[in-house]
Amino acid sequence: MNLLFLHTSSILGGSERSFLDLLNGISRDPSFELTIALPSDGPLREEAQAIAPQSRLARIPFPGYTERATQKNPWLSLLLLATAAAPLGRYIQSYKTLLQSRQIDCVYSNGIKCHLSSLLLRRFRDFRLVWHLQDFFPTVPYVRAFLNLHKRGPDAVIANSNAVLEQFREIMPKHWTPNLSTVYNAVDPNTYQPGRFESNEIVVTIVGMLTPWKGQHLFIQAATELSRLFPEAKFMIVGDEVYKTQGETGYKSHLQDLVRSGGIEDRVEFTGFVRDLSGIYARSDIVVHASLKPEPFGRVIIEAMSCQKAVVATRGGGVPEIIRDGVDGVLVDMGNASQLSAAIRRLIEKKDLRESLGRQARARVLSQFTSSHFSSQIIEILRCL
Ligand code: GLC
């Protein structure tokens, strides 16, 4: 099968890391010829090349306006849209050439922009189409209208949680009949191993892109309160700003201001982007996930669980499908700073609880979320198309 992977960006976020897990499995299967289209150079490209050196990489930039058109000034947006016609034409043309020269018979798309453009590409070639939904689908009317314009949708839709799948089922055009399935993300339990570097500190860590909806500001609020109570507690913020979208830059400096005004500069470490997270988990005792809106899945949660860490996470989206509250982690309400800090406090105080949640968490990952299972499920879906 000549398979083309479409990707929204070359950064390394959760959905890209789950794609690398798939690539790892599928690249060992000689019945697939792989082509990977990426919009730019970046860590994802390097990792993909290392995992599947035999695959063909194509660099097809997204027309720039797709990001910048969200700017607040409507005149500027209009101007950007008007100047986007030529790049958009070139973009479509590059894909047309790629689809034909590589004789693509299946397209696997990862990311909303790619899902939408994959429908347009069907005009040039009749391929089987698989959408891997790693996010909730936008519900804005023009997106739904765009979907409805297409008689034929994807042949298969894979969601990273039942929450994401159910939301898609509701907004999907009624005349589409894809094969729908949930395939949970997974980790390699040998890479994400239990263990803790020797230390007298208690390290509480949050991992994820620095963006307001991931809730790092609530984490800092809890850190400010808990630093006073526990001199041995340290707080680690792992990740960086990635998206250039409106409203998302400047968040990192806002977080740094919060740390300064809370007087906890000596207790909080900003590590920046970290490619290999296993070392981060090995320095941590408690891992926090603080998303303010429903998290589609929450890949870092299973990474931390695999490393036998006690996890505090917010109850929304796919997260309750992973963590059973009080059994293999702790759930708190989204956006509730006092619940979040109370839950962290309990875990700082109770070593036994931390350890037993960690053990249960590891067992849960081993039974439900291992990567070999993940890629074989997706390969099976591709074979049945
Ligand atoms: C996206 C989602 C995240 C999920 C990841 C992998 O980044 O926001 O919740 O864990 O994809 O599916």
Side-chain angles (χ1 to χ4, degrees), residues 4-8 35 37 95 107-111 114 117-118 121:
L4 170 66
F5 290 107
L6 297 185
H7 244 279
T8 313
T35 305
Y95 270 110
V107 170
Y108 164 101
S109 105
N110 198 0
C114 290
S117 42
S118 66
L121 301 181

Side-chain angles (χ1 to χ4, degrees), residues 118-127 146 149-150:
S118 66
L119 294 172
L120 297 174
L121 301 181
R122 271 252 182 82
R123 289 162 198 231
F124 305 126
R125 196 173 165 83
D126 185 21
F127 49 76
F146 179 81
L149 279 178
H150 294 86

Side-chain angles (χ1 to χ4, degrees), residues 46-62:
E46 291 156 25
E47 299 277 332
Q49 218 150 19
I51 291 175
Q54 78 280 24
S55 61
R56 190 86 62 93
L57 285 151
R59 189 168 170 279
I60 305 186
F62 259 110

Side-chain angles (χ1 to χ4, degrees), residues 98-245:
L98 187 66
L99 288 166
Q100 288 167 352
S101 65
R102 297 283 288 160
Q103 299 279 300
I104 297 299
D105 32 43
C106 179
V107 170
Y108 164 101
S109 105
N110 198 0
I112 306 278
K113 286 178 200 163
C114 290
H115 302 329
L116 299 179
S117 42
S118 66
L119 294 172
L120 297 174
L121 301 181
R122 271 252 182 82
R123 289 162 198 231
F124 305 126
R125 196 173 165 83
D126 185 21
F127 49 76
R128 299 260 132 192
L129 179 58
V130 181
W131 285 3
H132 197 154
L133 304 184
Q134 317 249 13
D135 279 303
F136 291 102
F137 224 84
T139 51
V140 284
Y142 62 83
V143 169
R144 295 180 78 160
F146 179 81
L147 298 183
N148 272 300
L149 279 178
H150 294 86
K151 276 209 196 67
R152 201 170 139 218
D155 301 285
V157 173
I158 302 167
N160 58 0
S161 67
N162 291 331
V164 167
L165 192 70
E166 288 319 311
Q167 188 254 5
F168 182 70
R169 207 193 287 275
E170 273 168 36
I171 67 147
M172 177 181 84
K174 295 292 164 268
H175 56 273
W176 285 10
T177 51
N179 161 359
L180 297 170
S181 34
T182 295
V183 177
Y184 288 126
N185 281 310
V187 290
D188 177 356
N190 297 320
T191 307
Y192 294 95
Q193 295 244 11
R196 171 77 173 96
F197 296 146
E198 249 347 278
S199 164
N200 297 326
E201 295 172 340
I202 293 205
V203 178
V204 188
T205 302
I206 186 165
V207 183
M209 291 177 190
L210 301 187
T211 178
W213 78 271
K214 292 280 183 187
Q216 284 93 350
H217 53 290
L218 289 192
F219 178 79
I220 294 175
Q221 207 173 314
T224 311
E225 192 185 316
L226 297 170
S227 289
R228 280 186 221 114
L229 299 171
F230 302 102
E232 72 281 26
K234 281 272 166 65
F235 299 86
M236 198 155 52
I237 301 178
V238 182
D240 221 325
E241 272 176 354
V242 184
Y243 294 120
K244 300 276 175 286
T245 323

Side-chain angles (χ1 to χ4, degrees), residues 75 146 289:
W75 295 107
F146 179 81
H289 167 271

Side-chain angles (χ1 to χ4, degrees), residues 2-47:
N2 283 338
L3 184 57
L4 170 66
F5 290 107
L6 297 185
H7 244 279
T8 313
S9 84
S10 257
I11 58 166
L12 262 190
S15 58
E16 291 77 19
R17 291 197 288 136
S18 101
F19 161 68
L20 292 175
D21 283 340
L22 168 61
L23 196 59
N24 208 354
I26 208 167
S27 62
R28 291 160 211 251
D29 187 327
S31 56
F32 292 98
E33 287 277 326
L34 309 178
T35 305
I36 306 171
L38 293 169
S40 55
D41 294 337
L44 177 60
R45 185 186 169 95
E46 291 156 25
E47 299 277 332

